[in-house]
Amino acid sequence: MNASSPPPRNRLWRALAFIPNAVYKGGGLGGAARRAMQIFRQSGVRGVARSVRVLLRGDGPPLMADASRPDRFQYREWLKRHESPLTPQARQDLETQASRWPRKPAFALTMTAADSSLQALERAVASVRGQVYPHWRLTLVVPASLSTQARASLDSQASADGQIDVAELQSPVGASADWLAFCDARDALAPDALWRAAEAAVRNPDVALIYTDEDRIADDGQRSAPYFKPDWNIDLLRSQDYVSRLAFFSASLVSELGGLDASFGEEAAAYDLALRCAEQLAPERIVHIPKVLYHRHVASADNVHAMDPAEYAPEGGERALQAHLARSGIAATAERGVHGFRVRYALPSELPLVSLFIPTRNGLKLVRQCIESILEKTLYPRYEIILVDNGSDDPEALRYFEEIAARSGVRVLRDDSPFNYSALNNGAAAIAKGDVFGLINNDIEVISPDWLGELVSIALQPGVGAAGARLWYPEMTLQHAGVVLGYRGGVADHAHRRLGRDDPGYFGRAALMQGFSAVTAACLVVRRALYEQVGGLDEVHLKVAYNDVDFCLRLREAGYRNVWTPYAELFHHESATRPSDLSEAQIERFLGEERYMKNRWGDLLFNDPAYNPNLSLEIEDFSYAWPPRAARLPSTTTSA
């Protein structure tokens, strides 16, 4: 036996460990087998062996993986492929560009040194000193409890660099700074972080808040767990502090707001500041840089991919959020939960009537289940049901429709025209009595009694367009957690599809209220006035497909935001009555509707502001994009 070879038992365990990894990466047993055969035909036995070795090392996405299923946890490989080194020439190019700017924004960084190891502390300071952009000052805030060795190291670095100060208290806003940022001394900045923030400020003169993407950095410098964030998303900010690492705040705005409020605690103070800034700024004055420019310390050495919810929902943050809601004149309560914050919006004392539209053709079992679950389980008291019967001919279904039409609060609207989902809902809207509309599929089943109250409370908020629910397949995997535009080169699809019940999703985004570009009309609530303002669903161009996406995008175009909530939960027995094959005419109709959406909405379909260009459009699980759709830029790698 070769001395460098593992003993037989270890080799056996490694082989056994390989099997589930290969099956996962291959998309199941069949997918793994097909991919292995494809590799064999292309590269022979050596190609298969190379793929096995890659799987055993944990690198990826390996050759064994289906190209449409890159492993989202293979971040090191992603960095090697898609982040170019910041060479001396690249640094010089950035410096040359900055020298031509009409103004040179100045940055004041505050770094809190509490609870930092000496190694991490020195790395953090070095990451600032190594910035490509030179116009900065760093204040190191050190507690009296800091070790003598660490304090000596900081004093030494301050003595060696006139841009560094050491203080025991948070200093007021510096008169010479244009921008402020607050960092943790366990973390590190990418070397071009300030350059990119300065470039964004120069390019957008009215900007007052800039934030970036982030990842994790271990003691050995290895990076993991990137958080590729959405563009400005006030509803997500009310669910987690996704902004303040790394955020740059306009110094003049911070001064107007009175600076940090220490009463919320060290971590929640930055969250409070982000909320106060948001209250003063129009969305176009907030810029997101979709690049990893900040490296947080690893939360758990045992799991470098772990997200610590406390870091994004810091203790005291619920008080900051409650104060924000009060200042904004929003009647709501803020709570801190397992995955983040929850805002419970209050319903008005006089509840609006909600008109629920349920189109169907026959489908007795499903539509009965839908209607009875609404009637039996819904706590919200003021609603009417309008069942739109699109040419049903099943005698049992017709008897049931006649029976329910006799009930208080239920009406049946007969429409024998060819199936046109948009027209059916618009027809119901024309006879509806409610001030709020609810679009409901006939295969929906209520499972959370407060579902309607939750959706109505959100839809009534100023600035909100459509409100969408969390929908589950009957086996309790996720069916709808918001709609992401551009999936698989098409128009849109559902985020986090097939996620397990106990999985909060990518950085908690399957378990937190947030804004999306669209939500599904399988369960959608919107104010009547807004439905009529944008002309309802498009019954001319989008008779069957994508009418809900288009409707939400028109609401967005009109200045409203669409909100998804995980706290309104229903089953969606999707496809239960849908034919398994489509006629040539149906296929042509679908392709025509897809073409219409692409012509109507253009590049927006592939630049979803609620998503990120570094995330995949090939699969709905927030995997990485291989390659990212953002322009390839010099590296943001930090040396350990």
Side-chain angles (χ1 to χ4, degrees), residues 293-342:
L293 299 179
Y294 191 77
H295 311 304
R296 282 187 188 248
H297 63 284
V298 168
S300 169
D302 296 328
N303 185 358
V304 297
H305 303 292
M307 167 197 167
D308 180 0
E311 291 185 289
Y312 298 93
E315 186 174 353
E318 69 275 17
R319 291 190 291 111
L321 180 55
Q322 190 70 61
H324 156 73
L325 295 169
R327 288 191 301 268
S328 303
I330 298 172
T333 57
E335 302 170 1
R336 183 171 182 255
V338 174
H339 304 300
F341 302 118
R342 177 180 180 181

Side-chain angles (χ1 to χ4, degrees), residues 341-355:
F341 302 118
R342 177 180 180 181
V343 175
R344 293 182 185 266
Y345 293 102
L347 286 163
S349 55
E350 185 175 343
L351 298 177
L353 177 67
V354 181
S355 298

Side-chain angles (χ1 to χ4, degrees), residues 240-420:
Q240 65 172 203
D241 179 12
Y242 80 99
V243 165
S244 67
R245 294 287 194 273
L246 177 64
F248 299 94
F249 300 91
S250 162
S252 59
L253 178 58
V254 172
S255 180
E256 290 173 17
L257 296 174
L260 289 175
D261 187 340
S263 68
F264 291 112
E266 182 181 313
E267 287 296 327
Y271 179 48
D272 167 71
L273 181 61
L275 290 167
R276 284 188 283 138
C277 287
E279 294 159 21
Q280 305 299 318
L281 301 177
E284 55 268 22
R285 298 190 66 196
I286 302 170
V287 169
H288 166 223
I289 302 174
K291 293 288 175 184
V292 173
L293 299 179
Y294 191 77
H295 311 304
R296 282 187 188 248
H297 63 284
V298 168
S300 169
D302 296 328
N303 185 358
V304 297
H305 303 292
M307 167 197 167
D308 180 0
E311 291 185 289
Y312 298 93
E315 186 174 353
E318 69 275 17
R319 291 190 291 111
L321 180 55
Q322 190 70 61
H324 156 73
L325 295 169
R327 288 191 301 268
S328 303
I330 298 172
T333 57
E335 302 170 1
R336 183 171 182 255
V338 174
H339 304 300
F341 302 118
R342 177 180 180 181
V343 175
R344 293 182 185 266
Y345 293 102
L347 286 163
S349 55
E350 185 175 343
L351 298 177
L353 177 67
V354 181
S355 298
L356 302 176
F357 312 154
I358 307 175
T360 193
R361 184 179 189 277
N362 297 322
L364 174 60
K365 180 179 178 181
L366 286 173
V367 76
R368 175 190 282 155
Q369 177 177 260
C370 175
I371 291 175
E372 299 303 328
S373 72
I374 293 173
L375 295 172
E376 293 172 7
K377 297 180 181 178
T378 301
L379 292 178
Y380 188 91
R382 292 204 69 213
Y383 64 89
E384 66 167 351
I385 294 175
I386 300 177
L387 179 69
V388 187
D389 175 12
N390 185 212
S392 296
D393 55 11
D394 174 16
E396 290 188 23
L398 292 172
R399 278 196 296 271
Y400 176 68
F401 299 164
E402 184 177 354
E403 173 193 324
I404 61 170
R407 300 189 195 181
S408 175
V410 181
R411 289 188 281 164
V412 177
L413 173 64
R414 180 77 180 191
D415 185 335
D416 290 331
S417 60
F419 179 69
N420 181 327

Side-chain angles (χ1 to χ4, degrees), residues 31 267 391 434 524 544:
E267 287 296 327
L524 178 155
V544 179

Side-chain angles (χ1 to χ4, degrees), residues 27 67 192 203 223 303 332 346 386 429 442 527 582 584:
D192 53 346
R203 191 176 66 250
R223 290 164 55 191
N303 185 358
I386 300 177
N442 71 340
R527 282 174 278 163
L582 297 175
E584 186 175 337

